[in-house]
Amino acid sequence: MTVETASNVAASDLTSRLGEVRERIARASRDAGRKPEEVHLVAVSKTFDAEHILPAIEAGQRIFGENRVQEARAKWPALRADYPDIELHLIGPLQTNKVRDALGLFDVIHTLDRPSLAAALAKEFAKLEGRPAPRLLIQVNTGEEPQKAGVAPLEADAFIAECRDVHGLTIEGLMCIPPADEPAAPHFALLAKIARRNGLSALSMGMSGDYETAIGLGATYVRVGSAIFGTR
Ligand SMILES: *Cc1c(COP(=O)(O)O)cnc(C)c1O
């Protein structure tokens, strides 16, 4: 009995952290004149194992984000077998040689960022034979940081058009990760502006430190990790 205390405390702590994030999402939505159900919480579970993820599932969380295909493959098939209504989102870079693996694992890919990946996705989508293809968001490197993935803001319109017209892909929206050392709001506003002029409805923006700001600027997916699961 006593040996279980630590994990029980951690589990109840996680449940209350998750509850607080949900409350803050609802409040930020209302403050922005938006409906809370327009904003989907992607609980970023990278680096945490199934034991840490389960309390979140048991508390009703159903959308999770992972940044590595291999890690997701090791963790999620077993959890999804028990909870078939879970939705898994890829929020990290996707190599073209992992596309096939990714299609079997993820419901949403937030990180379409280059023509070769669009081509590889289109090729694999053609082989799905009626099985649902993951929904796609294009990552925009709003801060034009050389080390960061994503299309440059000035190239976004052309890349969106290429994905649609050349590769026949349906694009749901855009995603960004603002530079760590700058205010995030201008980056969120830029992403929303690019989405608007391209007729895209989904905006994946906002992490633990700035998801309320992102909601104020139109986020429909917020990707929150450490505020729920603790520091990695
Ligand atoms: C890790 C990660 C997050 C979550 O970050 P937190 O600050 O822990 O909320 C969000 N988005 C991406 C792309 C990530 O890699």
Side-chain angles (χ1 to χ4, degrees), residues 141-193:
N141 187 358
T142 56
E144 301 188 64
E145 296 172 281
Q147 81 284 8
K148 209 165 260 176
V151 291
L154 283 174
E155 287 159 18
D157 294 357
F159 184 60
I160 294 164
E162 178 179 348
C163 287
R164 288 169 164 165
D165 303 340
V166 178
H167 301 290
L169 298 171
T170 299
I171 303 301
E172 181 179 315
L174 304 178
M175 175 270 216
C176 76
I177 310 170
D181 56 355
E182 285 179 29
H187 295 273
F188 297 155
L190 173 60
L191 196 73
K193 187 173 145 193

Side-chain angles (χ1 to χ4, degrees), residues 64-212:
F64 290 88
E66 290 283 342
N67 67 337
R68 288 168 192 270
V69 175
Q70 241 154 332
E71 183 182 340
R73 191 173 46 197
K75 278 184 341 200
W76 282 98
L79 286 166
R80 297 189 82 167
D82 291 338
Y83 298 91
D85 57 339
I86 279 173
E87 197 174 273
L88 197 59
H89 292 221
L90 179 64
I91 60 166
L94 179 56
Q95 294 168 261
T96 45
N97 64 4
K98 298 250 172 68
V99 164
R100 193 172 307 175
D101 274 0
L103 294 202
L105 281 166
F106 294 101
D107 303 289
V108 186
I109 294 171
H110 292 229
T111 50
L112 171 52
D113 63 351
R114 58 195 191 281
S116 60
L117 181 57
L121 285 163
K123 195 172 155 202
E124 290 301 324
F125 281 16
K127 301 180 194 159
L128 284 172
E129 294 178 343
R131 280 175 294 137
R135 283 133 53 200
L136 299 174
L137 282 76
I138 288 173
Q139 182 174 355
V140 181
N141 187 358
T142 56
E144 301 188 64
E145 296 172 281
Q147 81 284 8
K148 209 165 260 176
V151 291
L154 283 174
E155 287 159 18
D157 294 357
F159 184 60
I160 294 164
E162 178 179 348
C163 287
R164 288 169 164 165
D165 303 340
V166 178
H167 301 290
L169 298 171
T170 299
I171 303 301
E172 181 179 315
L174 304 178
M175 175 270 216
C176 76
I177 310 170
D181 56 355
E182 285 179 29
H187 295 273
F188 297 155
L190 173 60
L191 196 73
K193 187 173 145 193
I194 298 170
R196 216 176 303 120
R197 70 175 180 236
N198 285 282
L200 295 170
S201 57
L203 286 172
S204 168
M205 56 191 202
M207 318 202 316
S208 290
D210 52 26
Y211 63 92
E212 289 153 300

